Amino acid sequence: MAWVKTPSRGRFITFEGIEGCGKSTCIRHVAGRLRRSGRRVVVTREPGGTPDGLFIRKLLLESSDAMDPRTELVLYCVDRWIHSARVILPRLRRGGIVLSDRYYDSTMAYQGAGRKLPSSFLREWVLGVGNLPRPDLTLLLDCPVETGFRRLRSRGFSRDRMEREALSFHRRVRAAYLERARRDPERFRVIDSSRSLSKVLLDVEGTVENLLPSSRRR
Ligand code: T5A
């Protein structure tokens, strides 16, 4: 697999982590800060970052039928191919900053470590098709699985299909993320998201600012 060359003017930043680790909260905060400083930012997510992707998201997260892990993997990949072609690459080509709530590291962690799919099959599907830009920066919001679920419980939403998986599944996912970050320290920054929200946001903000050229309208 070759990553598609990231258009040089844009910046692609992905946020990863287990359920309830605080990704969405951090993205909202960072996007607000960047926009106030005059930058062009798009916030997007997987699955479901496009209108067609929303159908796939519904199938993946709301279906009550058991789903074969390979079917699940393929659906996440299809969602990503549409997302990359319709949202991520066009925005990067226009010089924007793309903040994505999850990207291909989610598949490697959830379908790879969580579902234990064979790595050859995984790589073939996740990266084989090409046309995916490599993130310039990946923030891994890391906290214990119990902390993430406690936060989700206090938020009060019902659990989706993935969140209903056993704690052991989510622990494998967390361990896989940490291992990926250890192996690729240039791209990953691990943020301890078990701390108070104000500390986490400050850390995330500083990490993102370090990647970007000094504040100016882009
Ligand atoms: N998936 C996805 C795969 O299996 N393979 C793939 O390839 C891809 C792309 C997506 C699901 O799909 C799976 C992974 C997921 O299971 P989703 O609905 O998009 O599901 O859900 P998540 O991405 O998991 O997002 P969540 O909303 O569940 O969690 P977040 O975004 O990490 O957490 P957030 O920011 O909403 O925070 C949760 C609560 O905690 C509070 C917030 O205020 C909020 O109430 N909070 C804190 N409280 C105290 N201290 C802090 N530091 C806090 N940070 C946040």
Side-chain angles (χ1 to χ4, degrees):
M1 141 82 187
W3 294 104
V4 70
K5 196 170 164 10
T6 308
S8 56
R9 287 189 311 146
R11 284 286 180 272
F12 183 28
I13 304 174
T14 58
F15 290 71
E16 295 280 359
I18 58 164
E19 321 289 316
C21 65
K23 295 176 284 77
S24 317
T25 309
C26 291
I27 291 185
R28 275 196 302 276
H29 175 81
V30 169
R33 297 275 304 190
L34 293 175
R35 284 178 183 135
R36 283 194 292 280
S37 71
R39 290 179 164 111
R40 275 187 289 140
V41 179
V42 62
V43 171
T44 186
R45 69 168 175 181
E46 291 188 2
T50 62
D52 287 344
L54 285 175
F55 289 107
I56 302 177
R57 180 181 173 90
K58 207 169 156 59
L59 206 58
L60 278 165
L61 300 183
E62 293 178 27
S63 168
S64 52
D65 286 348
M67 188 179 285
D68 175 80
R70 290 175 190 243
T71 308
E72 182 182 280
L73 170 74
V74 171
L75 288 173
Y76 278 114
C77 290
V78 172
D79 172 72
R80 178 159 315 120
W81 299 333
I82 301 171
H83 186 214
S84 172
R86 300 215 187 130
V87 177
I88 303 174
L89 285 171
R91 293 302 182 125
L92 291 177
R93 287 192 181 112
R94 276 183 254 149
I97 299 169
V98 177
L99 306 179
S100 185
D101 192 336
R102 299 193 179 282
Y103 189 56
Y104 99 109
D105 292 295
S106 285
T107 316
M108 301 307 277
Y110 280 80
Q111 280 64 52
R115 298 286 186 224
K116 301 181 179 171
L117 281 175
S119 55
S120 55
F121 180 77
L122 197 68
R123 260 195 295 275
E124 198 177 318
W125 273 94
V126 177
L127 299 174
V129 75
N131 214 29
L132 299 177
R134 185 177 195 272
D136 297 294
L137 172 69
T138 297
L139 284 98
L140 173 57
L141 279 295
D142 177 62
C143 68
V145 169
E146 292 78 0
T147 306
F149 276 105
R150 199 167 45 244
R151 289 176 186 166
L152 290 185
R153 269 198 306 277
S154 60
R155 195 173 64 179
F157 293 166
S158 61
R159 290 184 172 201
D160 66 34
R161 201 176 58 84
M162 303 301 285
E163 287 164 359
R164 288 196 294 271
E165 287 298 330
L167 285 184
S168 55
F169 172 95
H170 292 285
R171 289 197 184 107
R172 286 200 299 279
V173 171
R174 182 189 182 201
Y177 269 131
L178 288 169
E179 177 58 16
R180 294 184 67 72
R182 195 187 63 76
R183 285 197 195 166
D184 191 356
E186 282 201 4
R187 174 165 68 90
F188 274 93
R189 297 290 178 280
V190 181
I191 310 271
D192 175 2
S193 73
S194 63
R195 295 171 297 164
S196 71
L197 187 54
S198 56
K199 283 192 178 143
V200 174
L201 293 179
L202 212 63
D203 210 352
V204 168
E205 217 177 283
T207 307
V208 170
E209 282 293 345
N210 278 342
L211 176 81
L212 302 172
S214 59
S215 186
R216 65 189 164 84
R217 196 166 286 276
R218 290 168 55 98

